[in-house]
């Protein structure tokens, strides 16, 4: 299959089940909400080393937020609800409570699975905090030097999917980066997903385990490293003409959101200098969610 002269490999992206929470951060301006969101999602690229995967989902206008102020929505992913809750408490407490003018609300209010966030952060108020119940949702007002920090008591957690991905195989590093940047811009327009790596792009794709260091959970994906092509013991997956590979990883609240993001990303990445679009999988051993590239683009080929 080809799209705009770029080969689409007949393979699938292999993803796995996770749990996710959504935080709605509001502030006096988009700038301050974004400051808190960026701090909250820092060092959250992979559960392999960060305990959580997180990213900015969308910028929100006042008619999309609980208090009518400018806001940002953030998605956090971990392997179970307890870990999502722990990360929310840590990151809201350290990055949102501390940021001028912010408030923080649950972005999944209809989810029956709940974790305590404001209910734990309230202790920072040293018993000077106060609460109010509005339409069945409890909020805490925590006194701070600036005034008060408003945070919702509990946040919803739901089933989610992590690890959807595409691989961009290009002639050189410039072509790979240009295609990746175009793909990220297109994918970030989809609600319900985040791209947790820096700028949405991964240069250090990994494989499960390691050949030479048994204690490693993951190690470099040597099959896609151009400098290892032809090296003894390396079974390269790179076709001729490929000099650089970049990966984009997508986490989402549901399958449909990830499918939409992958589809838009592939379309945007098929540009001059790109040889092939592929995906990372482990033969179905890592996760039960498989996103077949040809199926995603079936509409394009009709």
């Amino acid at each position: 299959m080809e799209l705009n002269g770029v080969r689409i490999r007949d393979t699938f992206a292999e993803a796995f089940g996770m749990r996710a929470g959504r935080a709605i951060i509001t502030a006096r301006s988009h700038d301050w909400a974004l400051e808190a969101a960026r701090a909250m999602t820092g060092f959250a690229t992979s559960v392999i080393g960060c305990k959580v995967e997180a990213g900015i989902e969308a910028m929100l206008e006042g008619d999309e937020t609980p208090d009518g102020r400018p806001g940002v929505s953030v998605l956090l992913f971990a392997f179970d609800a307890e870990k999502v809750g722990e990360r929310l408490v840590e990151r809201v407490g350290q990055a949102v409570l501390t940021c001028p003018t912010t408030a923080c609300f649950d972005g999944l209010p209809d989810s029956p699975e709940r974790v305590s966030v404001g209910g734990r952060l309230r202790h920072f108020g040293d018993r000077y905090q106060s609460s109010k119940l509005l339409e069945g949702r409890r909020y805490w007002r925590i006194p701070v030097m600036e005034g008060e920090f408003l945070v919702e008591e509990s946040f919803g957690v739901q089933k989610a999917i992590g690890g959807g991905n595409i691989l961009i195989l290009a002639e050189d590093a410039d072509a790979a980066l240009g295609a990746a940047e175009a793909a990220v811009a297109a994918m970030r327009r989809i609600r319900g997903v985040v791209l947790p790596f820096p700028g949405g792009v991964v240069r250090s794709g990994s494989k499960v385990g390691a050949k030479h260091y048994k204690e490693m959970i993951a190690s470099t994906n040597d099959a896609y490293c151009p400098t290892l092509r032809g090296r003894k013991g390396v079974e390269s997956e790179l076709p001729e003409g490929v000099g650089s590979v970049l990966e984009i990883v997508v986490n989402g609240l549901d399958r449909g959101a990830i499918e939409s993001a992958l589809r838009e990303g592939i379309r945007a990445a098929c540009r001059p200098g790109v040889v092939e679009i592929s995906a990372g999988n482990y033969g179905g051993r890592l996760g039960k969610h498989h996103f077949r590239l040809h199926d995603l683009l079936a509409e394009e080929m009709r």
Side-chain angles (χ1 to χ4, degrees):
M1 177 184 288
E2 286 194 3
L3 183 62
N4 296 336
V6 177
R7 291 194 303 270
I8 310 299
R9 189 176 293 187
D10 187 10
T11 187
F12 62 88
E14 185 173 349
F16 42 86
M18 300 187 84
R19 287 289 194 276
R22 175 190 275 141
I24 305 297
I25 302 168
T26 67
R28 178 174 294 175
S29 66
H30 272 131
D31 287 343
W32 278 114
L34 194 56
E35 285 290 341
R38 284 172 175 158
M40 183 178 175
T41 57
F43 190 58
T45 58
S46 171
V47 289
I48 293 173
C50 306
K51 299 182 182 179
V52 66
E53 299 180 7
I56 293 171
E57 177 190 19
M59 303 296 290
L60 305 176
E61 299 302 328
D63 59 359
E64 300 176 278
T65 64
D67 62 0
R69 301 192 300 166
V72 178
S73 61
V74 168
L75 297 179
L76 295 92
F77 296 79
F79 283 126
D80 58 54
E82 181 181 4
K83 289 183 173 61
V84 172
E86 290 173 356
R87 304 292 85 80
L88 278 167
V89 170
E90 292 169 352
R91 289 168 182 264
V92 173
Q94 293 300 309
V96 187
L97 182 150
T98 58
C99 184
T101 79
T102 60
C104 194
F105 305 93
D106 171 32
L108 297 174
D110 296 328
S111 178
E113 194 169 18
R114 314 294 299 172
V115 293
S116 178
V117 179
R120 294 171 64 182
L121 291 175
R122 67 184 176 90
H123 296 122
F124 181 75
D126 197 23
R127 290 193 177 179
Y128 297 109
Q129 69 272 15
S130 60
S131 71
K132 191 165 188 176
L133 192 66
L134 295 174
E135 299 180 352
R137 298 167 68 171
R138 184 171 294 281
Y139 303 85
W140 287 94
R141 305 182 74 92
I142 301 171
V144 293
M145 294 189 299
E146 176 207 47
E148 288 184 321
F149 174 62
L150 178 66
V151 60
E152 198 155 351
E153 179 169 80
S154 69
F155 281 52
V157 177
Q158 70 168 60
K159 289 182 178 180
I161 301 172
N165 68 85
I166 58 172
L167 296 172
I168 300 171
L169 286 61
E171 294 172 357
D172 54 41
D174 287 343
L177 186 57
E181 289 172 339
V184 166
M187 297 164 93
R188 281 181 167 163
R189 290 195 286 266
I190 306 299
R191 293 285 181 100
V193 302
V194 296
L195 316 179
F197 284 88
V201 184
V202 189
R203 71 171 183 171
S204 58
S206 61
K207 65 179 181 292
V208 176
K211 297 176 182 178
H212 305 290
Y213 301 99
K214 300 305 180 184
E215 73 279 5
M216 292 292 291
I217 298 173
S219 63
T220 192
N221 196 351
D222 49 274
Y224 287 91
C225 292
T227 59
L228 298 181
R229 184 194 279 115
R231 181 75 66 89
K232 183 179 179 181
V234 175
E235 296 182 14
S236 180
E237 291 287 341
L238 299 181
E240 287 300 318
V242 172
S244 184
V245 180
L246 290 174
E247 181 179 9
I248 299 175
V249 174
V250 187
N251 290 0
L253 295 180
D254 56 57
R255 185 178 182 89
I258 294 178
E259 287 177 339
S260 295
L262 292 175
R263 185 179 301 113
E264 293 303 313
I266 293 170
R267 287 172 177 163
C270 289
R271 48 188 277 163
V274 175
V275 176
E276 185 174 278
I277 301 294
S278 187
N281 69 68
Y282 305 91
R285 299 186 303 274
L286 180 66
K288 65 179 182 179
H289 301 282
H290 300 164
F291 297 88
R292 297 194 170 274
L293 303 190
H294 283 195
D295 290 346
L296 291 171
L297 298 172
E299 293 289 332
E300 308 279 345
M301 302 300 118
R302 289 179 183 174

